[in-house]
Amino acid sequence: MSEFASQLATAIASTRAALELVPAQSAQFGELDDDTLVVTNRALAEIRRALDARSAVVAGEIAARSTRENGYGGLAQREGFRSPEKFIQHITGTTLRDAGKQVRAGGLLRELEDADPTGGVVPDDGSPIAGKLTVAGATPARPWLLAATAAVAAGWLSVDVLDSLARGLGDPTEEVPAEALADVATTLLGMLRAAHDAGGPADSDRAFQLARQLRDELDENLVAEREQRLHDARAFRKVRGPNGLPRYIIDPDIETAALVDDICNRIMSPRRGGPRFVDEAGKTWAKSVVDDTRSNDQYLHDAMVDLLRYAATADTSDTKRIVGTRMPAVRVLVAAPNLENKRGSGHLEGAEFPVSIATVGRIACTAGTIDIGFVDGQPLTLGREQRLFSRAQRIALAARDGGCGWPDCDAPACFTEAHHIDEWHKDHGKTDVIDGILLCRFHHMLLHNNGWRIIRDDTGHFQLIPPPQRDPEQAPIAMPSKSPALRDLQRVTSMGEPQPRQIHPPALA
């Protein structure tokens, strides 16, 4: 262990010991008067900002060792993660979004370290600076953020606010050069420092709004440039909501925003005092919208989903050009005894939450069913008659594995490839479900390129064997199924041969 590593370990141990001196029982804090409680909260916030800054430095170093140039030999990649953000999320137990903030802030702090503070850019106290961009050291990629990064290093600005400023200010353009962004950053830091000194530091949302507002003022006469930038930034993203379900976020361009607004306004018009209808059909529709017992949010949600469903299932050339020839559908997995006895629950393929047996029955009534026979938890076989897994086997693998089999990977089954644990050519492996496992493309490539192996133990469960350079002992790592439906099957049919049933529209049969 190096001298610095030893000193660091001692410092971290001392920090932990000091933190343990602060009580964690709410009853004790309940004894504090209001002023002391607020002062305590502010002091803890300062400590957290300092810890976040140091965590960002570490995250930046991990990211630097996990670049694309390092390929599968990067630090995060060797540990089985496709990005440093996913690796840091795994280590810290935080959200992927927060891990991304740490990585971005870490990159900015590395740029700050490369810039010589004596060059007139970064004062030692981290106070706002003029818009000078000349540095004595290496030229940073984002010099307009140097002062804000220095404020994080000084401890009075949080990593979250730094990330908000970086997103709000954006990047320079021909019309808005880096010097102009640096002037805006100086103005913002002055406002934020004044708020901090007054005991009320701005939150990250407010910081983003201020940064965006000032940046837009620079672009006041650049309508076309802003429109193109927003068009290039358009996105449809899936994130995890606070209730555990996916949350879909659309970042539209200007034209799309106007279109979506118009659709929503038309749907909700009867509830929002829109124009009155004179024809009977319009009056009847408007009355049905007003009288509907669903809330505005619920009604709009259901209407937008119906529009998506109607568009996606329309048998037109335009629809097939967008979604392909296979009609979109939701697969539901349920143990046959549960369905027959109307007990227990079912599972939507790719979803974490179960659905009621009543919902399963409703889908079965309208869509029909396909039975998949399991023996000892393993469905269907093909032997060596063909190399590639059939579509029926892929459905069975998805029902059994529930997604990528790699530990800690959350890729759904639709983003995976079927892997032979005994290679087809080298090991004369069979194309049987019992010898196959689903892996996302990243982990499939990682397995083949970095010397990982997958075996099946005496109980039939898969185990991941790391390469010797990662674990000299090559201790097996369990690869439990992520399919809640299979757990249901095994629970309700612990003896005998389970008979799972998969339900989906006939178009997929």
Side-chain angles (χ1 to χ4, degrees):
M1 180 181 293
S2 68
E3 181 179 355
F4 171 71
S6 178
Q7 294 173 348
L8 181 63
T10 300
I12 291 176
S14 299
T15 302
R16 286 177 173 172
L19 184 60
E20 290 176 358
L21 296 176
V22 180
Q25 292 76 32
S26 59
Q28 293 181 264
F29 286 99
E31 301 175 3
L32 301 178
D33 59 64
D34 291 351
D35 291 340
T36 305
L37 189 64
V38 172
V39 169
T40 301
N41 192 46
R42 185 171 292 123
L44 290 175
E46 292 175 355
I47 294 172
R48 179 176 178 178
R49 285 197 296 270
L51 287 174
D52 282 347
R54 285 150 181 81
S55 295
V57 172
V58 175
E61 182 63 29
I62 290 176
R65 301 184 187 187
S66 308
T67 60
R68 290 183 179 273
E69 288 75 12
N70 292 324
Y72 287 94
L75 174 57
Q77 291 80 0
R78 291 200 311 272
E79 295 295 324
F81 297 89
R82 61 171 54 90
S83 69
E85 291 84 358
K86 292 289 290 184
F87 185 32
I88 291 169
Q89 180 189 23
H90 171 77
I91 294 173
T92 61
T94 187
T95 65
L96 186 60
R97 179 182 179 185
D98 286 340
K101 290 180 183 178
Q102 290 287 323
V103 169
R104 291 190 293 273
L108 290 170
L109 287 165
R110 289 174 68 86
E111 291 183 8
L112 175 68
E113 189 174 342
D114 290 339
D116 185 356
T118 63
V121 176
V122 185
D124 292 338
D125 63 358
S127 58
I129 60 174
K132 299 178 180 179
L133 300 181
T134 303
V135 295
T139 301
R142 291 158 290 189
W144 59 92
L145 293 174
L146 279 178
T149 308
V152 172
W156 68 266
L157 198 70
S158 72
V159 167
D160 283 347
V161 172
L162 174 62
D163 190 71
S164 293
L165 293 181
R167 291 185 296 108
L169 291 175
D171 296 321
T173 64
E174 291 183 3
E175 294 81 5
V176 183
E179 288 78 6
L181 289 184
D183 289 340
V184 171
T186 298
T187 301
L188 279 169
L189 285 178
M191 298 167 63
L192 297 177
R193 185 58 187 259
H196 174 272
D197 293 344
D203 61 75
S204 58
D205 290 340
R206 178 59 177 160
F208 176 79
Q209 293 172 357
L210 289 172
R212 184 74 273 174
Q213 179 181 346
L214 292 176
R215 173 61 193 265
D216 283 347
E217 289 176 2
L218 293 178
D219 290 351
E220 183 176 3
N221 299 317
L222 304 174
V223 176
E225 186 272 336
R226 183 192 296 120
E227 182 180 359
Q228 184 61 47
R229 187 175 69 251
L230 292 173
H231 179 74
D232 293 340
R234 69 193 186 282
F236 187 91
R237 295 175 289 120
K238 183 177 82 170
V239 300
R240 187 179 298 277
N243 61 359
L245 285 173
R247 172 172 288 176
Y248 299 95
I249 301 174
I250 181 171
D251 292 316
D253 56 23
I254 297 175
E255 185 178 350
T256 303
L259 174 63
V260 174
D261 281 346
D262 184 61
I263 292 173
C264 292
N265 289 337
R266 286 173 179 268
I267 293 172
M268 302 304 297
S269 175
R271 294 190 179 192
R272 294 175 177 172
R276 289 178 291 178
F277 293 89
V278 295
D279 62 281
E280 289 303 319
K283 291 180 179 179
T284 301
W285 171 76
K287 186 177 187 304
S288 69
V289 174
V290 172
D291 293 343
D292 196 287
T293 58
R294 287 171 288 182
S295 68
N296 286 351
D297 288 344
Q298 291 171 339
Y299 190 90
L300 190 58
H301 167 277
D302 294 347
M304 297 300 286
V305 171
D306 283 342
L307 286 176
L308 284 174
R309 182 181 292 112
Y310 296 149
T313 56
D315 189 14
T316 67
S317 58
D318 287 338
T319 298
K320 293 177 180 178
R321 177 178 56 84
I322 297 173
V323 301
T325 57
R326 183 180 299 175
M327 286 294 135
V330 174
R331 291 197 183 107
V332 181
L333 299 169
V334 61
N338 281 352
L339 185 60
E340 293 165 1
N341 298 321
K342 293 183 173 54
R343 67 166 187 259
S345 59
H347 301 269
L348 304 182
E349 187 175 278
E352 298 180 14
F353 291 88
V355 294
S356 67
I357 202 67
T359 296
V360 173
R362 174 176 56 80
I363 297 175
C365 181
T366 59
T369 65
I370 292 179
D371 291 335
I372 302 174
F374 277 69
V375 178
D376 296 328
Q378 299 292 345
L380 303 178
T381 61
L382 282 181
R384 285 186 59 81
E385 293 181 5
Q386 63 184 57
R387 178 184 178 185
L388 300 179
F389 287 89
S390 69
R391 181 168 171 273
Q393 286 183 311
R394 286 275 315 192
I395 292 175
L397 284 170
R400 186 198 66 191
D401 296 344
C404 176
W406 200 279
D408 292 328
C409 182
D410 57 3
C414 59
F415 290 164
T416 60
E417 302 171 343
H419 168 71
H420 294 78
I421 63 170
D422 296 321
E423 293 190 26
W424 174 265
H425 287 298
K426 186 178 71 173
D427 302 322
H428 301 287
K430 296 180 179 180
T431 307
D432 291 344
V433 171
I434 194 173
D435 293 321
I437 187 171
L438 295 183
L439 296 174
C440 68
R441 180 164 181 79
F442 173 82
H443 285 121
H444 201 179
M445 296 289 290
L446 178 70
L447 182 140
H448 284 287
N449 292 338
N450 282 29
W452 294 76
R453 292 185 299 114
I454 296 177
I455 63 172
R456 200 173 59 251
D457 63 18
D458 295 338
T459 65
H461 295 100
F462 292 112
Q463 293 186 321
L464 184 64
I465 307 299
Q469 59 269 27
R470 184 183 187 275
D471 179 8
E473 302 296 327
Q474 292 191 287
I477 302 170
M479 303 180 73
S481 168
K482 298 169 185 174
S483 170
L486 181 59
R487 291 195 294 270
D488 278 354
L489 294 174
Q490 293 170 337
R491 181 169 55 252
V492 301
T493 55
S494 57
M495 302 295 293
E497 297 184 1
Q499 292 296 321
R501 178 168 292 172
Q502 183 178 61
I503 302 167
H504 56 72
L508 289 179

